[in-house]
Amino acid sequence: MRLLILGGTGAIGLLLIEKALSASHTVVVFARSPQKLPDSITSNPAVTVIEGQLTDAASLSRALEGVDAVLSTLGPAVKSGPFHPGNTPLAHAYVSLIQLMNKAGIKRLIALGTASMKDEHDKFSVQFAVLVSGIAVFAHDAYKDVVAIGNTIRESHDLDWTIAR
């Protein structure tokens, strides 16, 4: 299986790449800063690295060529916290990604999410309520983007999607 991994230069993304490779998958890593990838990944013949921004539809389309599924660990950078842009840039990137996936005939998306992406099956938890409320207050724009990502994915009825949160 050929997988496109987004967010592959982050800690979870690197683990995901390693796991995919250990399962004998072919991996395409789409990254704005591919120099952050270790040599053990970039030198692996089962890995193709494509440099690009999520706003660059041509590069993202190229990354999607021949892909069976997209795995994404994209999310607001923890270090940016309250300074995350207010225009939900990641949710907009997911809109573009999903449009390009549909155009390429790719139906499977697995995305990393958070407890901020509420689900109808959630049971009340004081711990999660406090955590989510704190993020909503102190990192409001990041919270807003994460919620918008969840909504964007859930509204994509043509996809076979999973949000792991």
Side-chain angles (χ1 to χ4, degrees):
M1 183 169 274
R2 184 173 169 93
L3 305 173
L4 171 61
I5 297 182
L6 304 172
T9 60
I12 301 300
L14 291 169
L15 291 172
L16 184 59
I17 293 167
E18 293 293 341
K19 187 69 173 172
L21 292 171
S22 72
S24 300
H25 295 298
T26 302
V27 174
V28 178
V29 180
F30 185 74
R32 83 176 156 220
S33 303
Q35 67 276 10
K36 292 181 179 178
L37 294 166
D39 289 339
S40 61
I41 290 175
T42 58
S43 65
N44 188 315
V47 175
T48 302
V49 178
I50 297 177
E51 184 173 357
Q53 299 284 332
L54 291 169
T55 55
D56 181 0
S59 293
L60 191 51
S61 290
R62 195 169 74 248
L64 287 165
E65 289 176 7
V67 165
D68 299 298
V70 176
L71 287 72
S72 174
T73 65
L74 294 173
V78 174
K79 63 184 177 200
S80 66
F83 305 107
H84 186 77
N87 60 346
T88 61
L90 293 171
H92 289 321
Y94 269 97
V95 169
S96 298
L97 170 66
I98 291 166
Q99 289 172 347
L100 293 170
M101 287 176 66
N102 286 333
K103 188 175 177 181
I106 302 164
K107 300 294 181 192
R108 188 70 173 119
L109 171 64
I110 301 173
L112 184 63
T114 73
S116 298
M117 297 173 175
K118 293 185 168 77
D119 183 85
E120 63 186 55
H121 299 96
D122 287 345
K123 296 198 180 349
F124 180 75
S125 163
V126 172
Q127 293 168 316
F128 278 121
V130 169
L131 175 69
V132 171
S133 296
I135 293 169
V137 170
F138 295 110
H140 180 71
D141 290 335
Y143 169 83
K144 187 171 69 171
D145 206 3
V146 167
V147 170
I149 290 167
N151 292 338
T152 297
I153 293 171
R154 286 189 178 104
E155 291 167 2
S156 301
H157 302 292
D158 293 337
L159 285 181
D160 175 15
W161 56 264
T162 301
I163 299 173
R165 48 182 203 115

